[in-house]
Amino acid sequence: MKFNKQLFSACFLFAAAFAPTEAAEPVPEEFGSCTVCHGVQLKGNPGTGAPRLSGLQTWYVENQLESFRMGWRGNHSADYTAEEMRAVASGLSAKQLKKAPSYVNETVSSLSFTHTDGDVDKGKALFASCSACHGATGGGNEALAAPSLLVQSDWYLEKQINDFRNGLRGAEKDDASGQLMAASVATLKTDDDINNLMAYIVHLQQQEMK
Amino acid sequence: MTGVSRRNFLNLVGAIGGSVALYNSSRAMGLIAETGPVSNYQIKPADKGAKKIVILGGGVAGLSVAYELQMAGYECTILEASHRIGGRNLTVRHGDLVDELGNANICKFDDEPNLYFNAGPARIPGHHQRLLGYCKKFKVPLQIKANANRLAYIHETNLFGGKPVRAGEYIADARGFMSELLWKGGNQGAFDEMLTKEDVENLMGYSRFFGDLGLDGSYKGTGRSGSLNDRMLEHVKVKPTQDFTEVLKSRTGLMAALTSENYDWGEPLMEPVGGMDGVVNGFARNLDAKIILKAQVQGIHNKDDGVTITYQHKGKLHTLEADFCFNNIPAHFMPGIDNNLSPEYMAALSEFKRGNLFKIALQMKERFWENEGIYGGISFTDQAISQIWYPSHDINAEKGVILGSYSWNDDENEKFAQMSLEDRIKVAAQCGDKIHPNYSSYIESGVSVPWTRMNHMMGCGAHMEPEVQDKNFAILQKAEGRHFLIGDQISQHAGWQEGALASADNALRVFSDMRTQAA
């Protein structure tokens, strides 16, 4: 994960507002290893490549754990971190699988931003096609298996878009919603498009926090 | 003499051995300053305002900081996230937990003290004086560990008929052919403009002995490669040489030839008797520090007069107030831990990349390699496993543990990481079969450590892009408030205990200076 230093700094300036600590609740023992990569309160960690999980919808967590276990995700040798998650998901007990979605959903952490230099208006135009499934304000739609975009860090959303574009995700034949997403990201032609889209999603996230 | 410039040589070594090899060779060639002597500064003793120290992570750097500060009267607490101290100084034996995320398993080696696997650091050269100093101080017994071995093999899938060649044979041929070229060049006046007549004569004489050439300067094989017959009873019958074109192409051959040339691999190397964790046990025997295992750090906050650490232990959150903090946590975890370190500091930290070194060890029911004349040392192959290490200890015992794979190729390591333990053993076995007949039939059990998936580690061989490293290290090797980063990660020797100890040494020097100036 390569970071623009200034943008990264901006992200930490924001996070600093939440000091001294977000670790208000202990991690249930059975999920101790989640925080190794995903960070305190599952706030995500670009250093390990692990996304923010705090606040993800329970149905989506369930869905993704199943995807990893079925090999719909994390089955591309070039996606090192998703491969790591597939191994972990495959090793979870029935009890852990049952309790994970609500644990994940209930964790609380700050959301940090790295994409502050894109063109929000251009991003808004690009978002029009996203909103069909993910909703006008990015809140997600369970009926369409489209997760909320308001709880995920932009660096990870960007990586996922690129993974969908490059066939690292959404390429398995039984992964219907993944395939749909892989087809949908074809509307994003350039890195600038993605940067602008991210700027708009960050804008939506900031609106949500107000 | 400009034929092989120093720069070209460095590029060649860099292409094969990666940046660590390049650095080491540079140092051996005098381009980079030598590791200094062990520091002799005095740590300012503890006093009322500076007494309590918290050390995050019980790896080798953390243990040495705890020991040195204890000697100066400080009270240290070590918070270690995993079930054991030592970090990547990990020796695996019968019954030990291999805590790989998603694939935790128990070592199935026989319950026998000499059947062990050093999954992390595994060799100590004589100039790693910090580490050797602690071994001496803590009475950790050491033994010689063979690293290069002329009777071990090099193996290339598409060279030498795909058959293993003894390293010594390859090295003798490579030297012989190179020397022949030098001798002929001299003989034909190729160096007349660069060298005096006397120099040319000396060069030709030197070449003849260096390559074991005939009187006419030709290389037709040498007794240095062994013999086709019983050389104890008869005159040596010289083995036929390898093809020079293939000799030039062989990168594993070059690795074997350069093994001892690398400053950190220069013979003789050493290892603690009974396993590398003898070093960790040495620290443990001599530490008064409170060590809390399974304590996962969640927050690090600098204050004007101290540091607040939040950690989870036994299902509860705890807060620990200390005067100073030494942080041995792998840097890639830091963005996931709450902290109030400065944006510049965190940006510098974020440039670290996780290394993905992988090792597999196999318990063999017979020490078949000893029947081939191999006692310790390394065979090199161009296959996924890259290396096979033979144990230097317990020679002539019934069984032995060999290192069945150790590669510096990220892609190969990642492929191994993505396999099950059974598949990893299978691949290692198939590769080994190309080098030793019936290799796989001797395997009784295997243990693998993909460092990129080890719980609370998630990487080995931390590195940065060379163009940003100096700038970031300048930030990270200083104090950040009352917080000091330590570990091999901020040394120029990631993956070596001496690098970890040097980082600790540096942090303690900065700490001591800071305290002296504040006084």
Side-chain angles (χ1 to χ4, degrees):
Chain A
M1 199 57 52
K2 190 106 183 172
F3 271 84
N4 174 304
K5 187 177 168 245
Q6 282 175 329
L7 296 181
F8 197 76
S9 304
C11 135
F12 275 93
L13 282 174
F14 180 84
F18 287 76
T21 180
E22 297 175 302
E25 295 290 327
V27 185
E29 289 285 279
E30 66 262 45
F31 296 120
S33 59
C34 305
T35 56
V36 171
C37 293
H38 291 279
V40 174
Q41 292 291 304
L42 309 180
K43 68 176 182 173
N45 179 357
T48 52
R52 181 177 192 251
L53 303 179
S54 333
L56 278 183
Q57 293 130 312
T58 52
W59 60 265
Y60 185 69
V61 177
E62 219 168 275
N63 186 330
Q64 293 310 296
L65 284 173
E66 182 69 2
S67 282
F68 279 114
R69 290 166 66 83
M70 298 295 286
W72 298 341
R73 283 193 72 176
N75 201 20
H76 193 293
S77 59
D79 192 355
Y80 293 8
T81 49
E83 280 272 1
E84 287 164 11
M85 186 59 211
R86 182 162 68 96
V88 173
S90 303
L92 293 178
S93 67
K95 187 178 155 205
Q96 285 172 315
L97 285 169
K98 190 162 175 255
K99 289 172 80 176
S102 56
Y103 160 61
V104 164
N105 178 261
E106 286 160 20
T107 51
V108 178
S109 69
S110 61
L111 181 60
S112 51
F113 310 109
T114 54
H115 279 275
T116 51
D117 64 342
D119 184 321
V120 175
D121 290 334
K122 286 182 181 165
K124 186 177 181 181
L126 290 163
F127 190 77
S129 58
C130 311
S131 63
C133 295
H134 291 279
T137 56
N141 183 343
E142 182 178 356
L144 298 171
S148 168
L149 302 176
L150 302 176
V151 296
Q152 191 50 268
S153 303
D154 52 4
W155 67 264
Y156 187 76
L157 290 175
E158 180 182 25
K159 180 180 183 296
Q160 295 313 298
I161 288 174
N162 281 318
D163 286 353
F164 279 118
R165 284 168 102 196
N166 298 327
L168 272 62
R169 189 174 170 188
E172 297 292 329
K173 67 176 171 50
D174 294 327
D175 181 14
S177 48
Q179 284 181 2
L180 179 62
M181 185 62 196
S184 307
V185 295
T187 55
L188 302 166
K189 305 290 184 204
T190 64
D191 290 348
D192 273 349
D193 280 353
I194 296 175
N195 201 32
N196 295 336
L197 178 63
M198 285 304 128
Y200 183 64
I201 292 176
V202 166
H203 168 77
L204 290 175
Q205 292 175 342
Q206 287 167 336
Q207 290 297 113
E208 174 77 6
M209 285 175 182
K210 279 180 186 169
Chain B
M1 181 70 197
T2 56
V4 180
S5 73
R6 204 155 60 158
R7 172 56 54 191
N8 285 346
F9 174 73
L10 289 182
N11 288 341
L12 183 61
V13 178
I16 296 159
S19 58
V20 173
L22 180 60
Y23 173 78
N24 296 338
S25 303
S26 305
R27 224 171 49 167
M29 292 172 75
L31 300 178
I32 300 174
E34 189 83 15
T35 298
V38 177
S39 304
N40 55 4
Y41 59 89
Q42 291 286 315
I43 297 173
K44 194 170 160 53
D47 56 34
K48 206 176 156 202
K51 181 84 173 165
K52 286 183 73 181
I53 304 289
V54 61
I55 295 162
L56 312 180
V60 167
L63 297 176
S64 87
V65 164
Y67 177 78
E68 296 301 335
L69 289 177
Q70 166 187 316
M71 291 291 111
Y74 294 85
E75 287 169 10
C76 300
T77 302
I78 300 176
L79 301 177
E80 166 57 47
S82 77
H83 62 290
R84 47 172 282 280
I85 55 167
R88 277 163 288 137
N89 177 326
L90 168 64
T91 302
V92 184
R93 301 178 184 82
H94 169 83
D96 286 345
L97 168 67
V98 180
D99 196 7
E100 178 184 340
L101 270 188
N103 194 15
N105 57 92
I106 301 290
C107 175
K108 297 195 182 78
F109 290 168
D110 289 358
D111 190 2
E112 204 280 312
N114 273 329
L115 297 175
Y116 60 80
F117 162 38
N118 289 327
R123 45 192 167 185
I124 309 173
H127 53 87
H128 285 194
Q129 279 291 307
R130 293 178 177 93
L131 179 55
L132 289 165
Y134 282 120
C135 289
K136 186 173 178 180
K137 194 177 282 179
F138 300 152
K139 297 187 169 54
V140 177
L142 297 166
Q143 62 198 10
I144 296 297
K145 177 182 182 61
N147 195 54
N149 182 344
R150 292 177 73 94
L151 290 177
Y153 297 107
I154 62 155
H155 166 264
E156 300 256 3
T157 308
N158 298 314
L159 297 175
F160 317 122
K163 293 192 178 69
V165 174
R166 300 276 185 176
E169 247 180 278
Y170 173 87
I171 292 167
D173 284 355
R175 279 189 181 184
F177 288 126
M178 301 286 180
S179 299
E180 180 178 341
L181 284 178
L182 270 182
W183 192 94
K184 284 181 176 166
N187 196 39
Q188 290 166 15
F191 309 122
D192 288 356
E193 295 200 352
M194 288 173 259
L195 301 172
T196 66
K197 190 160 176 275
E198 189 191 354
D199 286 340
V200 172
E201 277 170 12
N202 284 334
L203 174 67
M204 290 170 68
Y206 193 103
S207 306
R208 185 177 292 150
F209 282 98
F210 192 71
D212 201 17
L213 308 180
L215 287 175
D216 62 350
S218 65
Y219 177 70
K220 295 197 168 70
T222 167
R224 294 173 186 173
S225 299
S227 177
L228 289 171
N229 56 346
D230 183 345
R231 56 195 286 284
M232 295 299 137
L233 298 173
E234 299 162 29
H235 289 297
V236 167
K237 203 172 160 193
V238 171
K239 291 179 179 175
T241 67
Q242 301 295 336
D243 178 76
F244 185 39
T245 307
E246 296 203 324
V247 166
L248 287 177
K249 280 183 186 164
S250 174
R251 290 297 173 263
T252 58
L254 190 53
M255 273 308 298
L258 293 179
T259 300
S260 298
E261 307 301 312
N262 189 311
Y263 193 50
D264 288 308
W265 300 337
E267 310 287 328
L269 289 147
M270 285 163 275
E271 61 182 342
V273 174
M276 189 57 84
D277 62 357
V279 172
V280 179
N281 297 335
F283 274 112
R285 282 196 302 274
N286 290 278
L287 279 178
D288 301 330
K290 185 176 179 190
I291 300 175
I292 307 177
L293 298 178
K294 298 185 183 179
Q296 202 181 345
V297 173
Q298 305 214 347
I300 303 168
H301 290 91
N302 260 316
K303 299 181 301 184
D304 288 343
D305 59 349
V307 185
T308 305
I309 304 298
T310 317
Y311 67 97
Q312 179 162 334
H313 182 58
K314 292 189 173 168
K316 288 199 179 112
L317 288 179
H318 302 263
T319 301
L320 195 154
E321 300 289 344
D323 298 317
F324 295 92
C325 162
F326 290 81
N327 183 353
N328 202 16
I329 294 173
H332 50 256
F333 288 138
M334 285 301 293
I337 294 172
D338 289 335
N339 65 76
N340 66 349
L341 302 170
S342 70
E344 291 74 22
Y345 195 84
M346 287 305 294
L349 266 176
S350 77
E351 296 277 4
F352 277 112
K353 311 254 187 301
R354 292 160 59 191
N356 69 350
L357 290 174
F358 170 86
K359 281 185 177 180
I360 189 163
L362 305 167
Q363 178 182 310
M364 297 295 196
K365 65 182 174 193
E366 278 178 45
R367 298 170 75 98
F368 59 84
W369 55 92
E370 291 177 354
N371 299 334
E372 297 171 46
I374 300 171
Y375 299 86
I378 302 172
S379 286
F380 292 94
T381 170
D382 66 348
Q383 302 175 93
I385 57 170
S386 189
Q387 304 182 59
I388 294 175
W389 290 25
Y390 311 94
S392 296
H393 67 281
D394 221 17
I395 282 167
N396 283 341
E398 183 193 356
K399 298 181 179 184
V401 169
I402 64 165
L403 182 69
S405 180
Y406 183 30
S407 171
W408 297 299
N409 180 311
D410 285 349
D411 294 337
E412 296 295 354
N413 287 331
E414 181 57 25
K415 277 186 208 159
F416 271 118
Q418 294 179 7
M419 293 175 202
S420 64
L421 173 59
E422 291 68 31
D423 286 345
R424 291 169 189 162
I425 294 172
K426 206 179 287 172
V427 171
Q430 285 164 353
C431 293
D433 278 336
K434 300 274 168 48
I435 300 164
H436 294 280
N438 306 317
Y439 180 91
S440 40
S441 70
Y442 295 103
I443 299 173
E444 290 186 320
S445 62
V447 169
S448 62
V449 172
W451 282 108
T452 190
R453 294 191 178 201
M454 297 300 284
N455 201 359
H456 305 294
M457 300 284 177
M458 300 305 284
C460 175
H463 52 282
M464 286 193 188
E465 297 299 334
E467 58 269 25
V468 298
Q469 194 195 50
D470 286 353
K471 187 186 66 160
N472 290 323
F473 272 31
I475 296 169
L476 299 171
Q477 289 176 344
K478 283 194 213 126
E480 168 80 0
R482 289 171 171 250
H483 168 276
F484 301 81
L485 189 67
I486 53 173
D488 62 317
Q489 53 198 358
I490 53 161
S491 77
Q492 297 285 355
H493 256 54
W496 290 88
Q497 294 174 96
E498 189 71 4
L501 295 173
S503 80
D505 196 359
N506 175 65
L508 289 171
R509 191 192 337 250
V510 175
F511 166 75
S512 229
D513 288 350
M514 183 197 250
R515 289 217 52 224
T516 306
Q517 281 161 16

